[in-house]
Amino acid sequence: AQSVTQLDSQVPVFEEAPVELRCNYSSSVSVYLFWYVQYPNQGLQLLLKYLSGSTLVKGINGFEAEFNKSQTSFHLRKPSVHISDTAEYFCAVSEVTSGSRLTFGEGTQLTVNP
Amino acid sequence: NAGVTQTPKFQVLKTGQSMTLQCAQDMNHNSMYWYRQDPGMGLRLIYYSASEGTTDKGEVPNGYNVSRLNKREFSLRLESAAPSQTSVYFCASTPGNSGANVLTFGAGSRLTVL
């Protein structure tokens, strides 16, 4: 079965600084990888996904993530954050052969300070 | 286009009481899911329905039952609520049962069990 670990529970940064949210996964088969974002008092929405092909994936709001198969990682990055990026971010994985059962990481709270 | 609608948004129960969380989607999706979200634990799958007429247990099914009433609706029932079931519950749906699918989430139902 797959598992996901988000290495930082909280990441505080200043506005316009770069940020990286780290995600490692574990699986014995090929996987699909996702980042979802949850703004306060809302449901989750997709930020970006890796299904196949190019290992660098671009998402909404200027975020990107890189799939690294050898290190089993899928870190999320943004070169310059805004106050409005303050939210909780979830990494998630599904195995290619196991249907649509996603496993989520514990979440990383990104707080952007002025 | 409402997407995924959950009711109620908030509920307070006493230990031992029962209640049903309702979920409906208007996107003609085949697969539906119930997750619970707890601080520091991410989202955990309670039950899912890969297609109309089928339901399966997820990671944390104990204390819950589900009904896939029709293609649109998927309800979650707590027969005898316990304080450990205090959580935020999210319903989600996908077009089909593929790991590549993106989940569409409802806004969540916050349940407190006293």
Side-chain angles (χ1 to χ4, degrees):
Chain A
Q2 70 268 34
S3 66
V4 179
T5 302
Q6 292 183 240
L7 299 171
D8 306 290
S9 60
Q10 298 194 41
V11 174
V13 295
F14 288 109
E15 195 172 17
E16 297 183 7
V19 70
E20 178 180 79
L21 307 183
R22 297 179 295 167
C23 172
N24 287 345
Y25 71 92
S26 173
S27 174
S28 57
V29 300
S30 296
V31 296
Y32 300 124
L33 292 157
F34 304 81
W35 278 97
Y36 284 83
V37 60
Q38 183 181 32
Y39 298 104
N41 300 314
Q42 294 185 26
L44 282 72
Q45 57 185 275
L46 181 73
L47 203 56
L48 50 77
K49 62 183 179 182
Y50 171 79
L51 302 183
S52 65
S54 173
T55 57
L56 183 62
V57 179
K58 294 189 183 299
I60 62 171
N61 300 337
F63 283 92
E64 63 182 33
E66 186 157 20
F67 170 54
N68 187 319
K69 188 174 182 180
S70 63
Q71 297 191 9
T72 61
S73 68
F74 191 54
H75 300 333
L76 181 70
R77 302 184 182 98
K78 187 170 182 178
S80 175
V81 294
H82 302 290
I83 299 284
S84 59
D85 292 323
T86 294
E88 189 153 23
Y89 292 78
F90 293 93
C91 184
V93 63
S94 65
E95 293 181 336
V96 171
T97 55
S98 69
S100 53
R101 292 180 55 166
L102 268 188
T103 297
F104 285 87
E106 304 89 343
T108 297
Q109 175 63 45
L110 173 65
T111 302
V112 181
N113 298 301
Chain B
N1 190 351
V4 178
T5 303
Q6 292 182 231
T7 55
K9 287 186 166 43
F10 301 94
Q11 184 73 50
V12 179
L13 293 177
K14 294 181 179 178
T15 297
Q17 287 185 318
S18 63
M19 76 158 298
T20 300
L21 299 176
Q22 307 284 357
C23 175
Q25 52 88 12
D26 62 2
M27 297 170 288
N28 201 34
H29 283 177
N30 287 307
S31 302
M32 299 184 74
Y33 312 81
W34 276 106
Y35 286 88
R36 61 177 288 174
Q37 182 182 20
D38 302 291
M41 303 188 76
L43 279 78
R44 293 179 292 169
L45 183 64
I46 305 171
Y47 271 94
Y48 68 103
S49 172
S51 60
E52 186 179 357
T54 69
T55 60
D56 286 287
K57 295 179 180 179
E59 184 184 353
V60 288
N62 291 345
Y64 305 95
N65 286 302
V66 290
S67 295
R68 183 74 183 266
L69 305 170
N70 48 56
K71 190 172 185 178
R72 290 186 63 247
E73 298 173 286
F74 188 41
S75 62
L76 178 71
R77 183 161 178 82
L78 287 70
E79 291 291 352
S80 178
S84 60
Q85 294 177 305
T86 293
S87 188
V88 181
Y89 292 85
F90 287 98
C91 179
S93 68
T94 58
N97 188 32
S98 164
N101 283 327
V102 175
L103 288 162
T104 299
F105 283 88
S109 298
R110 184 175 295 274
L111 175 66
T112 301
V113 183
L114 303 175

